Amino acid sequence: MPPPESRHPHFVKNPRALYDFKGRPCAITAVGSYVPERILTNADLERMVETSDEWIVSRTGIRERHVAAPDEATSDLAAKAALRAMERAGITGDQIDLIIVATVTPDMPFPSTACLVQEKIGARRAAAFDIEAACSGFIYALEIGQQFIQSRTYETVLVIGAEKLSSVTDWTDRNTCVLFGDGAGAAILQSRPDSHGLLTAYMGADGSKGSVLCVPAGGSRQPSSAETVQQRLHFIRMDGKETFKNAVQAMQGAALEVLRRCELDISEITCVIPHQANRRIIDAVGERLGIRADQLYVNVDRYGNTSAASVAIALDEAVASGRIVRGNLVLLMVFGAGFTWASAIIEW
Ligand code: ACO
């Protein structure tokens, strides 16, 4: 029996195979997600700031978002999503070798949220660290995690995108507060002999645009002080139009890069999961890439922008609802603060 690498049509297209790649394929063997119970609707926001359901829906496509309870932190959301993925994969905490959490809203500057999750899910053997690539974090974390599977360093890696964006949202600023939500999504990475999983992933960044979308204070540049609190510098600041324009261009470019590497046409992709920030951004990217409506997975209407959790939650929903089944080709594409962007093609 030939090794799986030489049996499958897509794997020979994988650039790692072309470059005499000797690693083993990395599959996502299970996914899970969790969103907090409390739902904040556009009608609720109408009572908080000068806005309207009509404005929010027509400009963003968002109808409601989930908001964590005051005593619920990012690690709590992350651990719940992780436990769901672990149950589906049929693994216990002891079997996890590495935990990577992508977040811009860690429980605290240190220890890492990944270490807090390790304790909550009983993954005593696991190494744990966070990565920060804003809304692109989940794909960045997938790409990092898969290296450890391919190189045979680890057997099981847990990758999580988790955010409590409500903790950095200025609830008096109508320009931003209507956009964001809280939640978490998790994926278990393992090598599966009969599948090729992540065919390729691509990551990019443009640090010159850092100030377009940021939380200005609370770090070493502007440590927390009475003044920074008074000036509301611990909340998200965003130039919406500049973000919009760059998001469309970067996600289109990122998608084309992974399609080119795998020698795939967009029409061959079963399910496209873009970062869920704004329905208009999704539609603009979809139009440029020639994505059919039946290929697109969209849930921004129910969750808003959950940053690093966004595509992870959507992936879990798409799998749970049967939109993605074994053997399907899935395209993920994301864009976020930094600016950062990333894409991946997965054979499910
Ligand atoms: N309700 C009512 N009116 C509003 C609201 C609101 N919630 N927010 C803004 N407005 C007003 C503005 O004040 C402006 O009024 P003015 O003309 O009197 O000044 C008017 O609506 C138009 O504002 P625009 O900025 O032109 O609206 P636009 O069509 O650009 O939509 C939006 C704004 C939705 C923010 C859009 O620019 C966008 O989605 N940008 C990308 C945002 C995004 O995706 N961010 C996340 C990126 S990923 C990450 O890493 C977090």
Side-chain angles (χ1 to χ4, degrees):
M1 174 88 94
E5 289 92 314
S6 61
R7 287 205 310 269
H8 197 280
H10 292 302
F11 195 73
V12 297
K13 295 176 178 177
N14 184 332
R16 294 191 172 100
L18 296 177
Y19 301 139
D20 199 23
F21 171 66
K22 294 283 195 294
R24 60 179 175 171
C26 169
I28 297 178
T29 53
V31 280
S33 67
Y34 175 80
V35 289
E37 268 173 41
R38 185 178 159 218
I39 293 174
L40 190 73
T41 64
N42 290 349
D44 295 327
L45 283 164
E46 284 176 356
R47 290 187 283 274
M48 294 162 63
V49 289
E50 200 185 324
T51 191
S52 66
D53 175 58
E54 193 280 327
W55 192 97
I56 301 170
V57 173
S58 64
R59 301 293 178 110
T60 72
I62 302 167
R63 293 180 186 279
E64 58 188 36
R65 66 290 290 147
H66 290 248
V67 176
D71 63 350
E72 218 173 6
T74 296
S75 68
D76 299 315
L77 311 181
K80 284 181 177 159
L83 288 168
R84 287 181 179 172
M86 288 159 61
E87 192 185 339
R88 287 178 192 148
I91 61 166
T92 59
D94 285 335
Q95 287 166 266
I96 297 170
D97 299 302
L98 173 65
I99 302 168
I100 308 173
V101 174
T103 186
V104 292
T105 48
D107 286 28
M108 57 192 90
F110 64 86
S112 70
T113 302
C115 282
L116 302 172
V117 170
Q118 187 226 38
E119 201 271 329
K120 287 183 207 290
I121 64 172
R124 283 167 288 271
R125 285 194 318 107
F129 63 87
D130 290 358
I131 68 129
E132 209 270 58
C135 301
S136 307
F138 184 69
I139 298 184
Y140 266 63
L142 278 183
E143 172 70 332
I144 297 167
Q146 78 159 333
Q147 310 296 329
F148 292 96
I149 302 294
Q150 290 183 333
S151 63
R152 296 182 163 80
T153 307
Y154 293 134
E155 294 304 315
T156 303
V157 175
L158 169 62
V159 168
I160 306 170
E163 302 285 7
K164 185 178 175 180
L165 287 179
S166 59
S167 65
V168 290
T169 298
D170 183 346
W171 293 104
T172 66
D173 176 15
R174 70 175 184 174
N175 290 296
T176 53
C177 76
V178 301
L179 302 173
F180 302 107
D182 301 335
I188 307 286
L189 307 187
Q190 294 171 315
S191 184
R192 195 166 55 190
D194 61 342
S195 167
H196 298 106
L198 266 154
L199 298 183
T200 195
Y202 164 71
M203 305 183 288
D206 178 1
S208 72
K209 300 275 171 54
S211 61
V212 176
L213 178 56
C214 64
V215 174
S220 59
R221 175 69 58 193
Q222 289 193 77
S224 311
S225 66
E227 206 183 337
T228 61
V229 172
Q230 193 231 329
Q231 291 175 6
R232 311 186 79 74
L233 296 178
H234 297 273
F235 297 125
I236 297 169
R237 295 274 176 100
M238 180 185 72
D239 176 340
K241 282 196 196 314
E242 188 65 12
T243 305
F244 192 112
K245 196 175 68 190
N246 282 273
V248 174
Q249 281 166 0
M251 281 203 281
Q252 179 194 14
L256 289 174
E257 175 60 22
V258 288
L259 288 167
R260 185 191 64 76
R261 288 184 189 182
C262 293
E263 295 174 22
L264 287 167
D265 185 80
I266 189 73
S267 62
E268 295 175 79
I269 303 291
T270 316
C271 187
V272 179
I273 302 183
H275 176 46
Q276 309 284 320
N278 181 320
R279 178 77 216 206
R280 282 160 57 219
I281 294 177
I282 294 171
D283 288 343
V285 177
E287 197 174 309
R288 285 175 177 218
L289 289 170
I291 299 170
R292 301 186 310 272
D294 67 287
Q295 289 175 288
L296 258 188
Y297 192 84
V298 180
N299 65 9
V300 68
D301 51 320
R302 287 177 287 127
Y303 301 114
N305 180 354
T306 57
S307 190
S310 164
V311 289
I313 294 171
L315 183 62
D316 180 43
E317 282 194 349
V319 172
S321 66
R323 278 286 299 274
I324 298 172
V325 296
R326 284 291 290 275
N328 285 170
L329 289 170
V330 180
L331 168 64
L332 309 179
M333 53 187 175
V334 290
F335 176 82
F339 286 144
T340 54
W341 53 87
S343 55
I345 294 181
I346 304 164
E347 181 204 69
W348 202 255

